[in-house]
Amino acid sequence: MRTVLSLLIACFCLFSLEWVSPARAADDAAKSEARATVERQIEAFRKDDAATAYAQAAPSIQGMFASPETFIEMVRKGYAAVYRARSFSIDRVEESGEDGLTLGMKLQDENGVDWMALYSLEKQNDGAWRINGCRLVKAPGDNA
């Protein structure tokens, strides 16, 4: 009887893993795609590639700017640390709502000042992740 019960429990555990693993893989894939979107935008800023940087923004953000050039000009003036990040590292990617992710990042501007950025991303109808906001603050303890 114990053997049968042990086999049933083992089968249930394996069956449960089959249900959990694909969902987990999808979550990891979504987080990876969101990271790639932010990284693609930062690399575009480094190259002054306004079109690529603008393409990573959600339609709600794109609608605020007449062109990719006006978008990148806003970033240049208001988000200089992101625009010319000397270095950056993504700390975390977390779910925020049904079709949203939040991405936390540490970065350093071209003057060596440390910053923290909190990106919000939303999943589009085509499955792509696009940036719909970025909050930028100096890192605690940085007096530069």
Side-chain angles (χ1 to χ4, degrees):
M1 183 67 175
R2 283 188 199 186
T3 304
V4 171
L5 184 59
S6 295
L7 284 172
L8 285 173
I9 291 172
C11 287
F12 177 76
C13 289
L14 287 174
F15 182 73
S16 296
L17 286 176
E18 288 179 20
W19 281 85
V20 172
S21 295
R24 177 81 174 138
D27 289 343
D28 289 344
K31 290 177 181 181
S32 180
E33 290 167 17
R35 291 173 72 99
T37 298
V38 173
E39 290 169 350
R40 199 167 29 254
Q41 188 177 66
I42 290 176
E43 289 304 319
F45 289 144
R46 287 178 169 171
K47 297 174 185 174
D48 283 320
D49 181 353
T52 299
Y54 184 75
Q56 306 319 302
S60 58
I61 299 297
Q62 291 178 357
M64 300 167 131
F65 301 94
S67 68
E69 290 71 27
T70 57
F71 171 73
I72 203 167
E73 185 62 27
M74 177 278 299
V75 173
R76 190 178 294 125
K77 290 179 180 176
Y79 294 84
V82 172
Y83 175 67
R84 285 292 188 254
R86 178 188 291 177
S87 63
F88 68 93
S89 63
I90 297 171
D91 295 312
R92 67 189 189 284
V93 182
E94 300 170 352
E95 291 182 27
S96 59
E98 191 173 313
D99 288 326
L101 291 172
T102 302
L103 184 145
M105 174 190 296
K106 292 179 184 173
L107 55 119
Q108 190 175 74
D109 67 19
E110 61 187 348
N111 297 317
V113 178
D114 294 324
W115 296 81
M116 296 184 326
L118 187 63
Y119 281 84
S120 57
L121 295 98
E122 60 185 23
K123 190 172 187 177
Q124 304 303 300
N125 291 335
D126 65 359
W129 288 94
R130 295 293 174 247
I131 300 164
N132 67 345
C134 177
R135 184 169 163 231
L136 185 63
V137 296
K138 275 191 182 176
D142 195 317
N143 295 325

